[in-house]
């Protein structure tokens, strides 16, 4: 994947998420204690948008049926049935001299 601009770092506060679409894929980018992570936004159980759920520490919780995934590695943490893990994407926060604030990129 080429480098894709997501947003300025100030646009995703700690414990917050932002949904983006890249080449037809929905991805949720989250700020976990100042570390930025990106995972597939679609719950592997029933297709819910995970960005409509909530984050507790480094766990994203699906709003539909409560599936819980680790935001850092996409692994299923808790759900009554076995479902697939989430795809994880590399994220970097960089500073460019021509931009006034650090920027989040998917790489």
């Amino acid at each position: 994947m080429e480098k894709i601009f997501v947003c300025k770092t100030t646009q995703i506060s700690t414990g917050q998420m932002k949904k983006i679409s890249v080449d037809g894929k929905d991805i949720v980018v989250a700020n976990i204690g100042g570390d930025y992570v990106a995972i597939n936004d679609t719950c592997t159980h029933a297709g819910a948008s995970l960005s409509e759920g909530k984050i507790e520490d480094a766990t994203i919780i699906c709003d539909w049926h409560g599936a819980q995934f680790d935001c850092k590695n996409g692994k299923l943490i808790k759900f009554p049935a076995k479902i697939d893990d989430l795809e994880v994407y590399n994220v970097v926060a960089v500073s460019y001299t021509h931009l006034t604030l650090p920027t989040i990129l998917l790489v």
Side-chain angles (χ1 to χ4, degrees), residues 2-86:
E2 70 218 41
K3 290 182 181 178
I4 298 168
F5 172 80
V6 175
C7 65
K8 303 274 196 248
T9 55
T10 56
Q11 293 176 291
I12 306 178
S13 302
T14 296
Q16 299 296 307
M17 303 179 270
K18 179 180 180 76
K19 179 180 177 179
I20 64 167
S21 290
V22 178
D23 296 329
K25 278 189 177 181
D26 290 331
I27 297 170
V28 60
V29 180
N31 180 339
I32 308 297
D35 294 325
Y36 297 94
V37 296
I39 56 175
N40 188 330
D41 183 56
T42 305
C43 181
T44 56
H45 169 242
S49 173
L50 292 171
S51 60
E52 295 175 8
K54 61 184 175 179
I55 286 187
E56 293 178 1
D57 299 316
T59 302
I60 192 165
I61 303 166
C62 179
D63 203 34
W64 284 9
H65 302 108
Q68 297 179 20
F69 298 91
D70 186 317
C71 289
K72 295 180 180 180
N73 61 23
K75 300 285 184 195
L76 178 67
I77 296 172
K78 183 178 179 184
F79 195 67
K82 173 64 180 141
I83 58 176
D84 291 335
D85 295 332
L86 300 170

